[in-house]
Structures are given as structure tokens and as C-alpha cells.
Amino acid sequence: MPAKSKFETFYVQSMAAEYDSGYIFLPEHQYVDPIVLNELLEANNSFPCNTTGEMEVWTTNPDLQARSKWECINYVSEDDLKEWECDSLFDSLIKGDYEMGSHWNPSFLSVTWSDGDQEAVEEAISNHLEAAPTQADLDEYKRLKAKLGL
């Protein structure tokens, strides 16, 4: 069993529809490439929607590198956490920018907005993670999508 990292990392992807917006919150071990995440969202939500902007990556690891060009890394130091009076990066995220109310349980993969089909999208993302596509699969998907101009 691998040793647990002393660092915390969370991926937060904004999403929007005509009349609603929200976030997809992914712990580090449940990372999904932003392109694939958008496809899963579009295919599994009950109304038209898409991911928006860069994926926000929040981390206490000063050496973390972006996995794709659609990610923006935000480093948070131990001093930052102390200043914000938070015990962990997780606490700072759910008490700050990404606080989504008492119905939200962001300790695991979660999709948050008022009218979307959170459960169907969460299940689709979980199923994708369980299928464990290889990096070669993702690279081929991106190549084909670019070739088709999508």
C-alpha cells in the first residue's frame, strides 16, 4: 500500500448552463482530464451544459506540475493555511470560494449546482475512473478529437 502524501491537492472545474452554474470537485486520486470531464458532463446532465475556463488546481505541493494546458495551479503554503485559520487545504476550500451549502459533501468526488443532475454526472465520472483508461487511451481520444475539429 503506498504511503499517503503529506500534500493535499484538489481539482475544481467550473461548469455552466444557460441558467445555472456550479463546480466539479475532484480529490487528487480522482483526477479526470478536463476534456474528458466536459464530455462526461455534456453526456450525463439532464440539460445542456459544459465545463468553463481552466481547471483550478489547489495544492500544498510546491512542486506539482499541471497535467494539461487547461489547468491553473494555485499553491497554498502552511503559512497561508494558518493565516486563514484552516487546519487543511480541504477546509480552506469548502469554507471559502467553493462553499456550496449544507447539502454538499465534498469529501469525495462531487458535482454541485442547484438544478443539474449531480448524481448522474457523479456516477458517470466514477464509472470512468473505475474503467481506468490509460494515458495512451486519453492521448488517442484527444488526437481523434483534434483531427475531427471538435
Side-chain angles (χ1 to χ4, degrees):
M1 183 172 181
K4 184 174 168 123
S5 171
K6 65 180 181 173
F7 299 118
E8 289 181 281
T9 301
F10 297 96
Y11 298 89
V12 182
Q13 178 65 61
S14 297
M15 58 186 179
E18 183 176 343
Y19 56 88
D20 205 354
S21 63
Y23 302 103
I24 298 173
F25 189 90
L26 304 166
E28 181 175 26
H29 69 280
Q30 292 184 308
Y31 174 86
V32 176
D33 185 274
I35 291 175
V36 174
L37 199 57
N38 188 60
E39 296 293 326
L40 292 169
L41 178 62
E42 288 179 344
N44 293 281
N45 197 57
S46 56
F47 52 80
C49 60
N50 56 278
T51 58
T52 60
E54 292 183 328
M55 179 180 277
E56 295 285 324
V57 182
W58 295 91
T59 187
T60 57
N61 180 351
D63 299 320
L64 186 71
Q65 299 295 310
R67 295 182 186 198
S68 81
K69 66 181 181 180
W70 299 280
E71 296 174 12
C72 174
I73 302 230
N74 300 290
Y75 171 68
V76 178
S77 70
E78 290 298 319
D79 289 339
D80 292 334
L81 292 175
K82 286 178 188 170
E83 181 181 321
W84 300 334
E85 299 178 359
C86 292
D87 293 330
S88 67
L89 176 60
F90 179 76
D91 289 340
S92 75
L93 293 175
I94 63 170
K95 292 177 182 175
D97 292 340
Y98 303 109
E99 182 176 8
M100 298 297 288
S102 61
H103 66 284
W104 187 40
N105 183 5
S107 62
F108 58 92
L109 166 99
S110 54
V111 175
T112 61
W113 56 9
S114 56
D115 293 320
D117 194 348
Q118 291 103 317
E119 288 145 2
V121 176
E122 288 171 6
E123 182 178 350
I125 295 169
S126 290
N127 290 342
H128 171 77
L129 289 166
E130 287 173 11
T134 65
Q135 187 59 48
D137 293 335
L138 292 176
D139 291 344
E140 178 64 9
Y141 173 79
K142 289 177 190 178
R143 185 190 70 74
L144 289 172
K145 189 165 182 169
K147 182 178 179 180
L148 295 172
L150 301 175

